[in-house]
Amino acid sequence: MAMMTFKIHRFNPDDERRGRYVQEYQVDVRKGMTILDCLNEIKWKQDGTLTFRRSCRSGICGSCAMWVNGMNRLACETQAATLGSNRIEIRPMPGYPVVKDLAVSLDPLVRGLMAVKPWLIANGPPPTDQERLQSPEEREKLLGLYECILCGACTSSCPSFWADGDYIGPHAFLKAYRFVADSRDDGAKAHLDACDDKHGLWRCHTIFNCVEACPKDLNPTKAISELKKELVRRKIG
Amino acid sequence: MDPETIHDVEGVGVHYVHRHDVIVVGAGLAGMRAAVEASAEFDVAVISKVFPTRSHSGAAQGGIAASLANEEEDHWEWHMFDTVKGSDYLGDQDAIEILVKEAPVVVREFEHMGSPFSRTPEGRIAQRKFGGHTKDFGRGGPVLRACYAVDRTGHALLHTLYEHCMKNGVRFYPEFYATELIIRDGVCRGIVAWDVINGGVHVFHAKAVMFGTGGYGKVFKITSNALANTGDGLSLVLRAGLPLEDMEFVQFHPTGLYLQGILVSEAARGEGGYLINDTGERFMERYAPDKLELAPRDLVSRSIQTEINEGRGIGGEAYVHLDLTHLGAEKIMRQLPQIHELAWKFLHVDCTKEPIPIQPTAHYSMGGIPTDKDARVLLDGKETPVTGFFAGGECACVSVHGGNRLGTNSLLEASLFGRRAGKSMVRFLRETREFPELPADAARVSIAEIDRVLSADGDQRVSDLREELQERMTRDCGIFRNAEKLEAMMADLVSLEKRFARIRIDDRSRRFNYDLLEAIELGHMLEFSELIVAGALKRQESRGAHSRVDFPKRDDEKWLKHTLAWKTGGEVRFDYKPVVITRFQPKERTY
């Protein structure tokens, strides 16, 4: 179809002399090829040292989130031809420490997640021999909250995270609200207290980058504002 | 790293030895369900070559089976009959009975942990239809048995387990790649793993080890599986001198996105989707007049492949259409949003307006590491358990799926036998105070393998060999098999193994070196592929997903038995064991 140029930002911690640099590759992009297909072609046919994470290649595992032509995206579900350019620039997701080439450390992601007690907190034991009831309307409230794949694209694109590496992060707030909004969860106080931190909610300046970055079309900013409202309500009400 | 879990060990040749009561390898549904169970009482660590929520269980879409009878009448006996029949009578009925009886408990526990199941108007867990699941011992129509979270069931369950592991303080070692299973004198003593991010060989010394290492779809070209699904756990078990069971049974899912192989959930047919060929015919009417698109997967896959082989693929190409348009956009977006997203992103097809091009795709391995009903791995494949070694999920063979797995029984099997593995390990650990002795040469094989690959300087590219393996396995050991093709495949494997000895890799560094990992993975794939092919060549019958055109009939007299295969000194050795039959006598399988 078309020969495309891939400008890839590279870094190998074992090669101090070289530091960070940009390397160009040419790929003959056939119809239907995704960015991940192109990266695999480079790795498998041209340069085995090129390093990036990948796994499910169907947009559900979140491994291959990376910065492609100005935006964090999942490489596996981004068709090269849809980017509207024959020059494609690829960098590791911003904000996270780079491990090697396009692979970043996921430690900040996990740290933020752990901070909000990301599990269902229920008072008392569940009913024996049956599920807890939850109406379809109550279940509806989880729509747009439980689908997060923890790819990290949102937090990486957030200026608050760039300014404060300990910022809990939109991915974690989305998760916190996923439980606060769940009719089965009795732990709202625990989740909210965790978000009400100096590295927490109040550092969100409603810039909406997370919303734009999310490959699953989720809305962490909305979750954050719901959490803020709930906290304010608790504080003054 | 916690300093207290790290010791410099002279003579072992490694820098790090970690000690935990339990080491789970694999962070999918089986591994993490076991970890949740055992961590209530013991110190549990989970090692995974991908970050936990990247495990392939998360890609499962349609549902998890349980006869909850929330939507309509259902009974575990019906579920059992369907599973036995679906297995083409190769499933062990004692294990299947456990699977179907405990299913409601396992599903409700997920709900109790917070899984976001879709709901009925009464607030109960909603259920949908799936292939091969029927009412009244096959005499009724399809039954609403699959519990689901829209079409993201695997994702919902996987994340729930990750959350509960965090809650229980399970120690994760993400991106550690298991390279060796330490079994000496029938006692499992731990594993060896490579730290993918930082480089370095680590020994994990444990009282109990559990494998939930998943399947091996990546030996095929068209597959629904993740790139990580290279079946490493299986050859680690083989290398430890243990057998594998029923490796010739590989399931091809009927509906993979054309050329991509990416899964289009059976839920699409469960919700009412049709399969259409080039002449516009709903061709399943000819193959399974009663169950149509909701016949079991082996049958639907063969039907589609037959249509393609006989020139009735769309425009003569190697695909047929999955038509959802009659369901209406509202239902599609409510019940099958992920399928809509996948079809759009990968094929630019809007399935509310046009049919989806699909072809069968390698999906699931019914065979694997032989285990008993308590998820204990069997040293001889038959009766004697390895002390301290457990397995569950797709890498294991209990065998509840026999020759063919029903849709939604996979999430069920992984979580249920993961849970049983957890309970087994707790019982085992209550009686086991001491760590087994760690052999001084524990990591010798791993260190040698990594050194060899890192310095490999031959003339063969790993990716070329892998592509050849995948293409040939799809062509010669795919949906339809015969002696001629399988023999050719055996010869191909021998030559691929020879060329594998002459590989080179580009990346010589130790940190985050996927070039190294992909080479080791290929070694594993070549190793156990021989068992798939040799087993398929041996089994001169057609049963479940194993379809021999030169032996089209099922042959209970000769082949109502499980294959056990070892690989010693490069040679494959076979043995067999009987199928456990309790309630349902084998009879002809028609739909």
Side-chain angles (χ1 to χ4, degrees):
Chain A
M1 199 170 99
M3 198 59 97
M4 287 193 180
T5 303
F6 286 78
K7 285 178 63 180
I8 300 182
H9 290 242
R10 304 205 54 186
F11 168 66
N12 182 348
D14 293 334
D15 189 352
E16 280 175 26
R17 188 182 51 82
R18 228 170 160 186
R20 293 177 189 230
Y21 61 101
V22 177
Q23 192 162 356
E24 290 199 2
Y25 300 92
Q26 306 286 321
V27 178
D28 190 10
V29 178
R30 298 176 300 278
K31 187 173 184 288
M33 273 177 84
T34 63
I35 295 294
L36 179 61
D37 292 331
C38 298
L39 289 173
N40 279 334
E41 182 126 330
I42 295 168
K43 181 168 184 71
W44 294 341
K45 305 289 176 204
Q46 302 179 28
D47 180 359
T49 67
L50 181 66
T51 300
F52 48 92
R53 284 195 183 89
R54 78 289 178 282
S55 188
C56 79
R57 39 119 225 175
S58 59
I60 191 73
C61 84
S63 297
C64 64
M66 56 185 72
W67 186 98
V68 182
N69 276 9
M71 242 186 105
N72 286 340
R73 313 167 199 257
L74 296 179
C76 71
E77 57 173 34
T78 305
Q79 302 262 337
T82 61
L83 292 174
S85 166
N86 279 344
R87 293 180 69 77
I88 294 176
E89 187 180 354
I90 302 181
R91 306 182 189 195
M93 280 195 291
Y96 301 118
V98 179
V99 179
K100 187 175 173 183
D101 291 344
L102 304 173
V104 296
S105 168
L106 300 171
D107 292 348
L109 202 71
V110 177
R111 226 172 25 237
L113 188 64
M114 272 300 275
V116 303
K117 300 189 169 48
W119 48 79
L120 188 94
I121 299 172
N123 292 339
T128 30
D129 295 335
Q130 73 164 60
E131 64 269 43
R132 272 176 298 234
L133 301 183
Q134 181 174 54
S135 70
E137 294 72 34
E138 289 167 332
R139 169 61 175 75
E140 194 90 347
K141 292 186 179 146
L142 306 182
L143 264 184
L145 300 174
Y146 80 95
E147 299 92 332
C148 170
I149 59 174
L150 290 180
C151 67
C154 57
T155 298
S156 156
S157 68
C158 173
S160 299
F161 175 64
W162 300 340
D164 172 11
D166 291 324
Y167 180 53
I168 289 173
H171 70 288
F173 296 131
L174 189 81
K175 186 69 105 176
Y177 190 59
R178 175 247 173 279
F179 287 110
V180 170
D182 194 319
S183 60
R184 301 166 296 173
D185 187 275
D186 304 313
K189 185 172 184 313
H191 302 303
L192 285 164
D193 285 351
C195 298
D196 188 13
D197 182 272
K198 68 175 171 175
H199 303 293
L201 278 181
W202 311 107
R203 283 186 171 257
C204 168
H205 301 300
T206 327
I207 294 163
F208 292 102
N209 276 15
C210 55
V211 182
E212 206 180 335
C214 179
K216 295 279 122 183
D217 295 329
L218 307 179
N219 191 335
T221 304
K222 184 160 180 284
I224 290 169
S225 51
E226 295 295 333
L227 289 169
K228 281 178 174 171
K229 269 197 288 191
E230 189 63 23
L231 263 173
V232 169
R233 199 180 59 76
R234 284 177 189 234
K235 280 187 180 177
I236 61 175
Chain B
M1 295 293 142
D2 293 338
E4 62 269 22
T5 61
I6 296 175
H7 311 268
D8 278 309
V9 179
E10 298 285 337
V12 182
V14 291
H15 297 296
Y16 309 112
V17 175
H18 309 258
R19 287 197 177 85
H20 296 280
D21 293 330
V22 176
I23 299 286
V24 173
V25 184
L29 283 195
M32 289 208 286
R33 187 62 190 79
V36 165
E37 198 68 29
S39 60
E41 209 167 314
F42 293 98
D43 164 34
V44 178
V46 175
I47 285 163
S48 166
K49 75 171 171 180
V50 294
F51 183 80
T53 56
R54 317 281 190 245
S55 303
H56 203 50
S57 302
Q61 297 165 5
I64 176 167
S67 56
L68 295 180
N70 279 356
E71 298 263 13
E72 59 181 348
E73 183 182 359
D74 199 6
H75 304 279
W76 68 261
E77 290 92 341
W78 293 1
H79 187 186
M80 178 164 176
F81 173 81
D82 291 337
T83 304
V84 171
K85 182 180 174 188
S87 83
D88 219 346
Y89 295 90
L90 191 70
D92 286 329
Q93 295 186 16
D94 52 346
I96 293 175
E97 185 162 333
I98 289 171
L99 181 84
V100 297
K101 268 187 184 164
E102 289 183 9
V105 176
V106 165
V107 169
R108 286 180 192 129
E109 280 175 352
F110 272 123
E111 194 284 324
H112 295 158
M113 285 187 236
S115 290
F117 285 105
S118 297
R119 299 286 174 157
T120 68
E122 298 75 38
R124 299 196 172 277
I125 295 170
Q127 297 184 279
R128 61 162 52 120
K129 296 172 187 168
F130 246 77
H133 291 281
T134 67
K135 293 173 195 158
D136 195 20
F137 305 100
R139 291 186 287 264
V143 69
L144 296 157
R145 183 178 291 151
C147 313
Y148 62 94
V150 194
D151 60 357
R152 296 186 171 91
T153 313
H155 168 269
L157 302 185
L158 183 74
H159 281 253
T160 300
L161 289 182
Y162 180 53
E163 290 154 9
H164 271 257
C165 283
M166 289 196 279
K167 182 183 175 197
N168 284 8
V170 169
R171 174 67 187 266
F172 280 100
Y173 294 88
E175 303 190 297
F176 272 72
Y177 179 63
T179 51
E180 199 176 342
L181 170 64
I182 311 166
I183 294 178
R184 301 283 193 281
D185 307 317
V187 179
C188 184
R189 294 143 196 268
I191 63 143
V192 185
W194 172 255
D195 177 351
V196 176
I197 293 178
N198 300 301
V201 172
H202 293 234
V203 171
F204 291 85
H205 188 195
K207 295 176 188 170
V209 170
M210 189 253 179
F211 266 25
T213 55
Y216 56 71
K218 284 315 285 184
V219 299
F220 295 92
K221 184 181 177 196
I222 300 291
T223 174
S224 64
N225 283 205
L227 287 152
N229 289 11
T230 50
D232 316 305
L234 296 167
S235 48
L236 294 187
V237 167
L238 265 189
R239 288 176 190 179
L242 274 55
L244 297 176
E245 182 173 345
D246 290 340
M247 289 291 283
E248 61 270 33
F249 290 97
V250 179
Q251 176 165 84
F252 293 83
H253 192 289
T255 57
L257 286 182
Y258 180 51
L259 292 180
Q260 307 274 356
I262 291 168
L263 182 67
V264 176
S265 169
E266 199 165 313
R269 285 169 285 138
E271 297 289 347
Y274 300 151
L275 291 168
I276 307 285
N277 66 14
D278 194 43
T279 68
E281 180 199 11
R282 202 176 157 192
F283 57 85
M284 284 310 298
E285 287 167 356
R286 276 187 280 121
Y287 298 95
D290 284 350
K291 304 295 184 286
L292 300 167
E293 282 84 358
L294 290 178
R297 289 178 175 174
D298 55 338
L299 204 161
V300 181
S301 289
R302 280 195 296 274
S303 308
I304 294 171
Q305 197 60 46
T306 303
E307 292 297 300
I308 291 169
N309 292 352
E310 293 178 358
R312 290 186 296 278
I314 307 298
E317 300 287 324
Y319 67 90
V320 297
H321 274 149
L322 172 63
D323 192 355
L324 307 179
T325 53
H326 56 282
L327 300 179
E330 198 269 330
K331 182 168 183 177
I332 291 171
M333 297 315 287
R334 189 182 66 234
Q335 296 288 68
L336 306 165
Q338 189 173 199
I339 287 172
H340 182 267
E341 185 184 333
L342 289 171
W344 180 252
K345 282 183 171 160
F346 290 94
L347 294 179
H348 264 267
V349 165
D350 177 355
C351 68
T352 64
K353 298 196 179 83
E354 51 192 328
I356 309 173
I358 58 99
Q359 70 184 134
T361 181
H363 184 58
Y364 187 88
S365 47
M366 270 73 73
I369 307 163
T371 60
D372 68 9
K373 298 187 288 290
D374 292 315
R376 297 182 297 182
V377 176
L378 300 169
L379 188 63
D380 55 358
K382 291 179 177 170
E383 279 168 3
T384 319
V386 183
T387 305
F389 186 33
F390 305 79
E394 191 173 345
C395 72
C397 183
V398 194
S399 125
V400 290
H401 308 306
N404 170 62
R405 173 175 72 73
L406 295 187
T408 69
N409 269 355
S410 167
L411 293 186
L412 174 60
E413 186 267 331
S415 5
L416 191 143
F417 283 95
R419 179 179 183 267
R420 287 183 80 85
K423 287 185 184 295
S424 267
M425 290 193 285
V426 166
R427 283 196 297 274
F428 173 73
L429 289 166
R430 282 178 186 158
E431 295 162 4
T432 310
R433 292 183 188 280
E434 304 291 322
F435 276 85
E437 193 188 336
L438 192 64
D441 65 345
R444 187 177 46 86
V445 175
S446 297
I447 291 167
E449 181 179 30
I450 285 157
D451 283 349
R452 186 179 62 78
V453 176
L454 277 179
S455 58
D457 200 16
D459 57 359
Q460 299 290 320
R461 277 196 92 86
V462 169
S463 58
D464 293 342
L465 299 182
R466 189 177 54 226
E467 269 170 39
E468 283 183 40
L469 171 71
Q470 291 165 335
E471 272 169 23
R472 289 172 196 188
M473 284 293 283
T474 295
R475 190 188 66 196
D476 292 339
C477 194
I479 295 180
F480 291 112
R481 302 162 170 183
N482 65 35
E484 194 188 349
K485 285 177 167 188
L486 292 168
E487 275 160 11
M489 188 70 227
M490 287 299 283
D492 284 341
L493 281 171
V494 172
S495 86
L496 285 167
E497 292 252 18
K498 279 192 185 136
R499 288 164 61 197
F500 181 67
R502 304 202 316 263
I503 52 164
R504 66 164 288 116
I505 64 169
D506 294 343
D507 196 343
R508 308 280 175 195
S509 67
R510 292 166 73 79
R511 288 197 231 202
F512 219 102
N513 187 344
Y514 265 30
D515 220 18
L516 164 73
L517 254 57
E518 288 184 358
I520 297 176
E521 287 171 345
L522 177 63
H524 289 306
M525 290 196 276
L526 289 169
E527 198 153 323
F528 64 74
S529 286
E530 202 178 332
L531 267 63
I532 304 172
V533 181
L537 190 57
K538 269 265 199 238
R539 187 175 282 273
Q540 297 185 332
E541 65 159 354
S542 289
R543 181 189 300 270
H546 172 65
S547 181
R548 285 280 300 258
V549 290
D550 44 354
F551 295 95
K553 290 252 179 278
R554 194 176 83 194
D555 184 350
D556 283 346
E557 206 169 304
K558 290 199 185 109
W559 290 103
L560 185 58
K561 57 188 180 184
H562 296 290
T563 307
L564 294 170
W566 289 255
K567 203 168 172 186
T568 36
E571 293 293 308
V572 180
R573 177 168 67 83
F574 287 102
D575 193 6
Y576 295 91
K577 68 174 175 183
V579 174
V580 180
I581 292 165
T582 56
R583 286 169 177 260
F584 301 107
Q585 287 303 313
K587 58 181 183 186
E588 201 194 347
R589 183 168 164 249
T590 55
Y591 287 94

